[in-house]
Amino acid sequence: MTTFNDGSPLISAAELGEALASERPPVLLDVRYQLVGAAPGGPTAAEEYRAGHLPGAHFVDLDRDLAAPPGAPGRGGRHPLPDPEEFGAAMRGFGVSAGRPVVVYDGAASMAAARAWWLLRWAGHRDVRVLDGGFAAWQAAGLPVTDEVPEPAEGDFRPVPEQLPTVDADGAADWARSGLLLDARSGERYRGEAEPVDPRAGHVPGAVSAPTSENVRPDGRFRPVAELLARFRAFGAGERRTAVYCGSGVTAAHQILAMEVAGLDATLYPGSWSEWSSDPSRPVAVTGQPG
């Protein structure tokens, strides 16, 4: 059985190609998704998947499979964590099993794939990797692509949730005061200059701007470990307990993935800005970095 032993949460296209040619290849999950700011009028993620994907990959709908329906204002945000039983059923239908490795990927920069990686880890799966550079890296390596959609599978994965830490809105406020709270959104959204989707513009008071987009190179692959470590150390990560939020808990998972690549730990605020900004009792800041 293929297993990943080097401890990295990432896998290269070449390494994945070798793993897929092994006796028991990893389960592949295609998590392409149109994040906030995507160009309108283009193909949907499902259409991109049907046009071409890694052989054997199952398409995962982020809204349906990796999140619960949005809750009431101030409760859970746009992408609440899914019900563990429903999440487990979806993953089993894609062939996910406890004793079999899983590789997740999206179009390039792993912003959506990181959500699947984090959720599987949160739910207790011990062997999950993200394809570094995603589908673009696979294509650039000249590896095979297909439009054949695999049949539903039968995995045995049963979630044991809360294997990774989370924090709620009150906890996020506390971490901003006494620890380090990173805002993974763009600088424009952090400063309140733009807010394309959530009720109010700005950021959690005391949070530090750390745009997720700066974790990756122009080709979508993660920056080298030393660069990532230096980046997060400059914010104080490693010296202070660290939590991360974004718009709805998706790209914040990418920040946590990047920090794990760098050997650092962080906690997710799943409700993120979509939850915080929808609660009128929560204060909002629109200034620059604290301090």
Side-chain angles (χ1 to χ4, degrees):
M1 179 179 67
T2 301
T3 56
F4 303 134
N5 298 314
D6 66 3
S8 173
L10 303 178
I11 186 170
S12 70
E15 291 169 333
L16 179 56
E18 293 179 3
L20 291 175
S22 66
E23 186 174 320
R24 192 171 184 218
V27 174
L28 289 179
L29 302 181
D30 185 309
V31 201
R32 277 178 275 190
Y33 181 71
Q34 302 298 337
L35 293 166
V36 171
T44 66
E47 289 170 342
E48 289 180 347
Y49 166 81
R50 289 192 293 269
H53 51 267
L54 274 63
H58 294 266
F59 177 70
V60 178
D61 186 299
L62 190 149
D63 292 321
R64 180 192 65 217
D65 302 318
L66 304 181
R75 298 181 182 178
R78 282 182 282 110
H79 288 113
L81 297 185
D83 174 81
E85 289 302 316
E86 294 180 2
F87 175 65
M91 293 301 105
R92 289 192 295 276
F94 300 137
V96 175
S97 294
R100 188 174 178 186
V102 178
V103 174
V104 297
Y105 71 91
D106 57 27
S110 303
M111 299 293 177
R115 170 77 172 204
W117 168 83
W118 186 92
L119 272 175
L120 282 164
R121 293 281 307 281
W122 171 83
H125 202 293
R126 298 176 179 271
D127 204 350
V128 188
R129 295 293 183 93
V130 174
L131 173 58
D132 194 15
F135 186 62
W138 182 265
Q139 286 184 301
L143 294 163
V145 171
T146 183
D147 61 2
E148 182 176 348
V149 176
E151 294 293 327
E154 294 185 9
D156 63 15
F157 178 61
R158 300 285 175 179
V160 181
E162 301 182 10
Q163 301 303 302
L164 292 181
T166 61
V167 65
D168 61 11
D170 288 338
D174 177 65
W175 285 53
R177 292 188 298 265
S178 61
L180 175 64
L181 181 64
L182 297 179
D183 185 319
R185 300 172 302 157
S186 68
E188 291 80 7
R189 292 184 73 190
Y190 170 86
R191 293 188 296 271
E193 297 166 1
E195 183 45 69
V197 63
D198 290 319
R200 291 186 288 167
H203 59 269
V204 176
V208 174
S209 179
T212 301
S213 58
E214 296 178 15
N215 294 332
V216 296
R217 296 179 283 196
D219 64 0
R221 290 185 298 156
F222 279 83
R223 295 190 180 279
V225 171
E227 291 184 18
L228 290 173
L229 182 59
R231 179 181 191 228
F232 293 118
R233 289 285 192 192
F235 296 129
E239 298 177 1
R240 293 185 284 169
R241 60 177 188 155
T242 304
V244 186
Y245 75 94
C246 57
S248 64
V250 175
T251 57
H254 188 279
Q255 197 87 292
I256 293 173
L257 172 60
M259 292 183 70
E260 181 157 321
V261 171
L264 300 169
D265 296 323
T267 294
L268 178 69
Y269 170 27
S272 285
W273 186 247
S274 57
E275 178 185 60
W276 184 283
S277 63
S278 67
D279 183 348
S281 71
R282 299 284 176 188
V284 169
V286 292
T287 56
Q289 299 281 31

